[in-house]
Amino acid sequence: DTAVSQTPKYLVTQMGNDKSIKCEQNLGHDTMYWYKQDSKKFLKIMFSYNNKELIINETVPNRFSPKSPDKAHLNLHINSLELGDSAVYFCASSPRAGLAGYEQFFGPGTRLTVL
Amino acid sequence: SQKIEQNSEALNIQEGKTATLTCNYTNYSPAYLQWYRQDPGRGPVFLLLIRENEKEKRKERLKVTFDTTLKQSLFHITASQPADSATYLCASVDPKIIFGKGTRLHILP
């Protein structure tokens, strides 16, 4: 009965590899997000989708590509991984687009370590 | 640039006292501010939201204020308990999604 789930929880990989992180929410929300939390604990928005449509795309290298096959799923694919990509990646969802007035529900995070 | 600043140093409070955390924003005027709690190794959990036209919001032992003149929100936990120990994040959501770095709160028994 997990609200927002992510897989995998831990990901250790070599520089230059390509990897994906998956996210699913069973809350019936329209909007999903990807965040990156670095070693300094800053939580930064990367992308947001509303009903499978990209609505927020912050300054993120184009090695990162989100994909939303339906409104319950938002995956993150990362090409040519670099050391600086090491961080915890959080998926979140909210009832509708525009966070104003709507709380976000966060997943447990995926800790990515690039060696 | 638009920023949210929180006192990133740890805050130690004796059990039973009121803990007060500060969130300051610069170079913009958020219409809403949200507060989240984050425990180690877990995702943030929503606590409270306050609108710019609301001076104060309460939920059980939690209270949030929003002062648009000072460009500041205060987050209070009354009758604090060791279980309240966590990192507390302030976030603005309109027009941009910006999170503060959080304040680590330790409630000492």
Side-chain angles (χ1 to χ4, degrees):
Chain A
D1 60 345
T2 305
V4 182
S5 58
Q6 296 178 228
T7 54
K9 188 161 174 61
Y10 299 97
L11 189 49
V12 181
T13 188
Q14 299 287 331
M15 252 189 337
N17 284 350
D18 303 338
K19 289 293 177 187
S20 291
I21 307 172
K22 296 187 175 183
C23 178
E24 176 181 0
Q25 54 96 2
N26 63 5
L27 297 166
H29 288 168
D30 287 343
T31 310
M32 296 183 73
Y33 311 84
W34 276 113
Y35 286 86
K36 177 180 180 181
Q37 189 169 45
D38 60 24
S39 57
K40 294 181 181 176
K41 303 300 181 188
F42 265 117
L43 195 62
K44 288 187 182 174
I45 182 76
M46 299 173 69
F47 301 104
S48 176
Y49 271 75
N50 184 62
N51 267 323
K52 303 193 296 176
E53 182 185 340
L54 181 66
I55 57 170
I56 294 177
N57 184 353
E58 290 294 315
T59 310
V60 175
N62 57 16
R63 298 182 294 104
F64 290 78
S65 50
K67 278 203 174 59
S68 182
D70 55 61
K71 74 174 194 177
H73 295 86
L74 180 61
N75 303 322
L76 183 66
H77 188 76
I78 315 170
N79 289 327
S80 304
L81 277 154
E82 300 177 357
L83 293 176
D85 298 331
S86 295
V88 180
Y89 292 83
F90 286 102
C91 177
S93 72
S94 67
R96 61 195 68 174
L99 293 184
Y102 298 108
E103 66 184 273
Q104 294 181 81
F105 292 78
F106 282 81
T110 295
R111 181 175 292 278
L112 171 65
T113 303
V114 182
L115 304 174
Chain B
S1 63
Q2 298 161 342
K3 266 196 281 193
I4 281 201
E5 289 171 331
Q6 295 182 254
N7 185 350
S8 58
E9 292 175 13
L11 183 62
N12 296 322
I13 299 292
Q14 207 64 43
E15 183 178 4
K17 301 288 186 191
T18 296
T20 299
L21 285 63
T22 305
C23 170
N24 295 298
Y25 55 91
T26 53
N27 297 326
Y28 73 119
S29 298
Y32 301 82
L33 286 171
Q34 297 182 340
W35 284 86
Y36 290 80
R37 169 184 173 141
Q38 187 173 23
D39 291 285
R42 308 193 75 145
V45 174
F46 174 83
L47 296 173
L48 279 170
L49 173 147
I50 187 165
R51 295 172 174 76
E52 63 177 342
N53 60 356
E54 295 175 319
K55 291 252 157 83
E56 181 181 298
K57 200 82 169 279
R58 289 176 187 262
K59 180 182 172 184
E60 298 171 354
R61 294 183 297 112
L62 308 180
K63 184 177 89 170
V64 173
T65 62
F66 196 161
D67 188 327
T68 54
T69 303
L70 293 178
K71 292 182 178 286
Q72 183 180 83
S73 174
L74 298 179
F75 177 81
H76 307 271
I77 305 176
T78 57
S80 58
Q81 304 165 1
D84 295 327
S85 299
T87 295
Y88 291 86
L89 306 171
C90 174
S92 77
V93 296
D94 183 14
K96 273 187 89 165
I97 301 171
I98 303 174
F99 275 78
K101 203 154 106 171
T103 298
R104 281 179 295 124
L105 176 65
H106 299 295
I107 305 299
L108 308 172

